[in-house]
């Protein structure tokens, strides 16, 4: 089983979706579709070396992806639950649960290491229309695609280029090579960890110091709080747990300054 290493995603296998949009800009999320999962499973384990099944538990649709281990001559299973979309709900849950189960196998897990991708209004055709209650709604018809992507030895995203449908680069993350910036990152990480250790006794939520650090990073990167809440499904920022807070700060640390 160890010989079957899941490869990293290629640029043309990654898609972009608008997450949060307002008059200042928009944020993008990176994702993969089920066809990519199927292709990588075939490449890694063979067309007859894996199988999937679905099961409804307490009204939720779960997917189990099993891989055959030739060493033990057994099927090894990993499972996850899907979320319901707005259209074709059953099909949406089936596809989402399959993709999540494949994440558990390691397919596309590197996408979790992506920085916050914020596209300022000057680089996107953001339009506004008023709803029936005169509420302002923003939308963008631009299409975005990943042109190139690179990873470090930890299988984390280290460089990224995204273009719009006109071929213009709207986002670029360059690989870091200078030791000076790394030293600054280490110092910032130490500061964050120190604050985290002080707040370990808290059962829920983050401390004021942690919130202040978060606000500083949002200001530095230009990322909207709404983008953070959408990406990590956070209702109230101050109520996020330590694990989520750490993931948010790690992602922001990788995000370039506005």
């Amino acid at each position: 089983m160890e010989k079957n290493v899941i490869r990293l995603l290629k640029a043309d296998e990654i898609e972009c979706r608008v997450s949060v949009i307002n008059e200042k800009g928009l944020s993008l999320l990176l994702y993969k579709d089920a066809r990519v999962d199927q292709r990588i499973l075939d490449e890694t384990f063979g067309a007859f070396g894996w199988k999937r099944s679905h099961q409804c538990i307490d009204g939720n649709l779960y997917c189990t992806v099993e891989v055959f281990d030739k060493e033990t001559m057994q099927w090894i299973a990993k499972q996850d639950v899907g979320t319901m979309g707005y259209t074709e709900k059953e099909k949406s849950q089936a596809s989402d649960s399959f993709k999540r189960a494949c994440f558990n196998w390691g397919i596309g897990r590197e996408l979790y290491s992506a920085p916050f991708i914020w596209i300022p209004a000057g680089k996107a055709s953001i339009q506004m229309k008023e709803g029936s209650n005169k509420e302002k709604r923003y939308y963008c018809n631009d299409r975005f695609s990943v042109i190139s992507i690179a990873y470090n030895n930890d299988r984390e995203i280290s460089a990224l280029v995204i273009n719009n449908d006109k071929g213009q680069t709207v986002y670029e993350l360059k690989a870091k090579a200078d030791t000076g910036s790394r030293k600054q990152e280490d110092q910032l990480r130490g500061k964050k960890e120190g604050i985290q250790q002080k707040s370990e006794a808290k059962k829920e939520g983050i401390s004021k110091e942690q919130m202040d650090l978060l606000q500083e990073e949002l200001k530095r990167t230009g990322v909207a709080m709404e983008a953070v809440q959408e990406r990590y499904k956070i209702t109230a920022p101050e109520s996020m747990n330590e694990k989520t807070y750490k993931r948010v700060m790690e992602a922001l640390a990788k995000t370039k300054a506005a």
Side-chain angles (χ1 to χ4, degrees):
M1 186 72 72
E2 293 180 356
K3 296 178 182 179
N4 301 112
V5 178
I6 301 291
R7 68 168 174 82
L8 297 166
L9 296 179
K10 303 174 184 177
D12 60 2
E13 294 175 324
I14 303 172
E15 299 185 39
C16 302
R17 176 174 66 85
V18 175
S19 172
V20 172
I21 183 170
N22 56 39
E23 71 277 10
K24 296 181 180 180
L26 57 88
S27 65
L28 296 178
L29 291 178
L30 303 181
Y31 70 99
K32 58 179 174 64
D33 64 23
R35 288 170 294 181
V36 172
D37 291 315
Q38 293 168 354
R39 181 163 59 248
I40 294 180
L41 284 169
D42 285 346
E43 291 177 9
T44 309
F45 305 105
F48 300 102
W50 68 276
K51 59 183 179 179
R52 64 185 283 190
S53 59
H54 291 272
Q55 181 181 12
C56 188
I57 304 175
D58 294 332
N60 298 313
L61 190 63
Y62 286 76
C63 178
T64 301
V65 174
E66 298 179 67
V67 169
F68 189 72
D69 186 354
K70 295 181 180 179
E71 293 182 1
T72 62
M73 301 300 291
Q74 293 181 337
W75 286 93
I76 310 300
K78 294 191 178 184
Q79 184 185 70
D80 212 326
V81 64
T83 57
M84 190 176 296
Y86 294 104
T87 59
E88 296 183 290
K89 295 181 179 180
E90 292 80 7
K91 183 178 179 181
S92 175
Q93 272 193 302
S95 176
D96 189 64
S97 61
F98 173 63
K99 289 185 291 185
R100 287 172 178 266
C102 289
F103 263 123
N104 290 339
W105 275 108
I107 302 178
R109 194 178 295 170
E110 58 272 19
L111 296 182
Y112 286 129
S113 69
F116 281 96
I117 303 170
W118 181 256
I119 312 298
K123 293 185 177 182
S125 302
I126 296 177
Q127 302 178 57
M128 186 272 290
K129 63 180 179 180
E130 289 188 356
S132 56
N133 57 354
K134 294 185 177 182
E135 178 185 359
K136 293 182 179 180
R137 295 184 178 182
Y138 296 91
Y139 65 96
C140 179
N141 293 325
D142 295 353
R143 293 182 178 275
F144 303 96
S145 57
V146 176
I147 301 303
S148 65
I149 190 169
Y151 306 95
N152 59 24
N153 293 332
D154 295 323
R155 298 173 66 90
E156 297 176 336
I157 297 174
S158 60
L160 179 68
V161 177
I162 295 176
N163 284 10
N164 60 18
D165 46 8
K166 297 178 181 178
Q168 301 169 327
T169 298
V170 296
Y171 179 86
E172 183 175 7
L173 173 68
K174 295 182 179 180
K176 298 179 181 179
D178 60 296
T179 56
S181 60
R182 178 167 294 185
K183 182 178 180 181
Q184 292 176 355
E185 288 181 5
D186 290 341
Q187 291 175 344
L188 180 60
R189 188 179 298 109
K191 182 179 179 181
K192 295 173 186 174
E193 289 177 353
I195 291 176
Q196 181 177 346
Q197 290 174 359
K198 291 180 181 179
S199 60
E200 282 182 349
K202 292 176 67 65
K203 293 182 179 180
E204 294 182 356
I206 60 176
S207 66
K208 181 181 181 303
E209 289 82 0
Q210 287 175 307
M211 180 60 74
D212 290 342
L213 269 180
L214 174 57
Q215 293 289 356
E216 288 179 13
E217 283 292 86
L218 293 177
K219 183 178 180 181
R220 179 186 67 81
T221 59
V223 174
M225 180 66 82
E226 292 85 354
V228 175
Q229 292 178 248
E230 168 68 16
R231 176 169 173 175
Y232 294 98
K233 309 302 179 186
I234 302 170
T235 304
E238 62 276 6
S239 65
M240 76 175 82
N241 57 37
E242 292 290 341
K243 183 178 180 180
T244 302
Y245 174 78
K246 183 177 180 181
R247 289 176 61 192
V248 170
M249 296 302 286
E250 287 176 347
L252 286 171
K254 299 175 184 176
T255 305
K256 63 181 182 180

